[in-house]
Amino acid sequence: MNVPDSPLRIPDFRRFWLARFSATLATTGMVVILGYQFYDIARMDYGLSISEAALRLGGLGLVQFIPLLLLTPFSGVMADRFDRRRVAALGMLLDVFIAAALGLVTVLKVHSLELLYVLAALHGAGRAIISPSLSAIAPNVVPPNLIPRAIALNSIAWQSGSIIGPALFGFLYAGSQALPYWISVVLILAASFSVNAIRTLPPVPPEARRTHPVRQMIDGFRYVWNERFLLGCITLDLFAVLLGGATALLPVFARDILHVGPEGLGQLRAAPAVGAALVALMLSFRPLERNVGVKMLIAVVVYGAATIGFGLSRWFPLSLLLLFVLGAADMVSVFVRGSLVQLNTPDDRRGRVSAISGVAISASNELGEMQSGLAAALLGATGAVVFGGAAAIFITLLWAVVFPELPRARTFAPQFRQRETPT
């Protein structure tokens, strides 16, 4: 029997990759346009000042996070109790409805911030359903020795979608405001069909459905809490990106600081993804193998420093370069952290651990948007971004001391002995 030397030689991984790419292309582009549209309506139709509009824009992240926080623990249990393909496809169909609704709202020129808040919250619910199941599928379709490369390729799908989506949708929005949303409908439907076409997922163990869902949920949280290594990996992303995120304020920089409009916004959003995709491509051929914990921590420090530089920059090319560096550093951190979490989690808990990790990532992104909006209202957009980058560096140095297991991680091999606890 021939053993594949690359995840791309496995048909089911290719189907998974296509689903990830299509969904990311659609949703990242859609969210960028939604943010710009929201900010533009707040400034033009509601007559809000820059600081007031930035604060409202931060609220857009908060309303996406609330359903994520409430639903993700349940969707993690769903990913361990039911067919992960069907659960992911269900969430994608909800996103199809959101994209279609945003298209109609735009065509009908319904300039209501409250309605956009509602649709953003429903998008958060869709992500809560999709994320744990989709994240848990990749390790099911590749052998363990290929998981680091699969994570790198998965990141390429995510980052390339994040490159093309914002840039393409920004240009399309400048010509036809509703067209990006209609394209999102088609792409998310394609992702749903692709994930449903995956054939070789292992069957759900019968005992997984006999255990009470609440007990499964509690067991997932207890498992992560007891494993300090996993806890350190997950919470590092939570606090560093929550405080250091600059993406929520990109509409402010594009419109009122760098003066580059929606086309420039697409390029600003794409720049971190370009850096991340190039690094992910490199890692898919030459994965990191030694001193992975230290490299993860260094990458987060570089991420914070690049964030500070972006906040201070007033030259568009330099801003793009700093965002490129930011994305490249973040990709190193994501690759190391993702590989360590996946390889240190047994499959029967992978959905729940992915859900907890997803809540942390979503908290860092969506609550980070709220924090950025609030900080911008108090410190201005530049002050908020510079403060966030400095805070990310401080958190990284603190976590290296509080969780010494992180810098001690030399390889991707399991960092602890798996405990036999009931599922």
Side-chain angles (χ1 to χ4, degrees), residues 214-290:
V214 174
R215 184 181 176 189
Q216 284 184 299
M217 193 184 310
I218 293 172
D219 176 66
F221 281 103
R222 183 187 297 118
Y223 183 78
V224 172
W225 181 261
N226 288 336
E227 298 295 353
R228 282 180 50 82
F229 183 79
L230 280 180
L231 184 64
C233 285
I234 291 172
T235 54
L236 174 64
D237 180 81
L238 168 61
F239 291 107
V241 178
L242 187 151
L243 295 171
T247 55
L249 297 177
L250 288 183
V252 181
F253 277 81
R255 189 183 190 277
D256 293 315
I257 295 177
L258 297 171
H259 306 289
V260 291
E263 297 91 342
L265 174 63
Q267 295 176 58
L268 290 171
R269 284 299 298 257
V274 173
L278 291 177
V279 171
L281 181 62
M282 179 188 71
L283 293 173
S284 70
F285 290 102
R286 297 187 63 181
L288 300 176
E289 295 179 353
R290 299 184 183 280

Side-chain angles (χ1 to χ4, degrees), residues 1-23:
M1 179 178 179
N2 293 328
V3 178
D5 58 0
S6 169
L8 291 176
R9 295 184 180 273
I10 302 172
D12 276 342
F13 182 81
R14 294 198 297 269
R15 297 182 184 103
F16 166 82
W17 194 95
L18 180 61
R20 172 69 83 182
F21 173 74
S22 299

Side-chain angles (χ1 to χ4, degrees), residues 223-224 226-231 233 340-346 353 405 412-419:
Y223 183 78
V224 172
N226 288 336
E227 298 295 353
R228 282 180 50 82
F229 183 79
L230 280 180
L231 184 64
C233 285
L340 289 170
V341 170
Q342 293 286 11
L343 288 168
N344 284 272
T345 303
V353 172
E405 297 88 349
F412 289 125
Q415 307 297 313
F416 50 80
R417 181 180 178 183
Q418 303 286 4
R419 293 185 176 91

Side-chain angles (χ1 to χ4, degrees), residues 195-402:
V195 77
N196 268 311
I198 294 172
R199 300 176 181 175
T200 57
L201 289 192
V204 178
E207 59 272 15
R209 296 187 182 181
R210 288 197 294 265
T211 306
H212 196 281
V214 174
R215 184 181 176 189
Q216 284 184 299
M217 193 184 310
I218 293 172
D219 176 66
F221 281 103
R222 183 187 297 118
Y223 183 78
V224 172
W225 181 261
N226 288 336
E227 298 295 353
R228 282 180 50 82
F229 183 79
L230 280 180
L231 184 64
C233 285
I234 291 172
T235 54
L236 174 64
D237 180 81
L238 168 61
F239 291 107
V241 178
L242 187 151
L243 295 171
T247 55
L249 297 177
L250 288 183
V252 181
F253 277 81
R255 189 183 190 277
D256 293 315
I257 295 177
L258 297 171
H259 306 289
V260 291
E263 297 91 342
L265 174 63
Q267 295 176 58
L268 290 171
R269 284 299 298 257
V274 173
L278 291 177
V279 171
L281 181 62
M282 179 188 71
L283 293 173
S284 70
F285 290 102
R286 297 187 63 181
L288 300 176
E289 295 179 353
R290 299 184 183 280
N291 298 319
V292 294
V294 170
K295 290 175 182 176
M296 176 178 66
L297 295 170
I298 291 173
V300 182
V301 170
V302 173
Y303 169 89
T307 299
I308 294 173
F310 171 76
L312 297 173
S313 172
R314 294 297 181 267
W315 185 36
F316 184 57
L318 177 60
S319 297
L320 290 175
L321 176 62
L322 289 166
L323 288 174
F324 174 91
V325 173
L326 180 153
D330 187 49
M331 183 64 247
V332 174
S333 172
V334 168
F335 172 78
V336 174
R337 188 173 59 252
S339 299
L340 289 170
V341 170
Q342 293 286 11
L343 288 168
N344 284 272
T345 303
D347 186 63
D348 62 348
R349 295 184 182 88
R350 195 167 273 139
R352 283 164 286 170
V353 172
S354 295
I356 295 168
S357 178
V359 167
I361 293 170
S362 298
S364 64
N365 291 330
E366 274 67 44
L367 286 186
E369 291 184 15
M370 184 63 188
Q371 179 271 334
S372 296
L374 180 59
L378 297 173
L379 305 173
T382 296
V385 172
V386 171
F387 167 79
I393 295 173
F394 172 77
I395 287 293
T396 305
L397 299 177
L398 178 63
W399 251 236
V401 175
V402 175

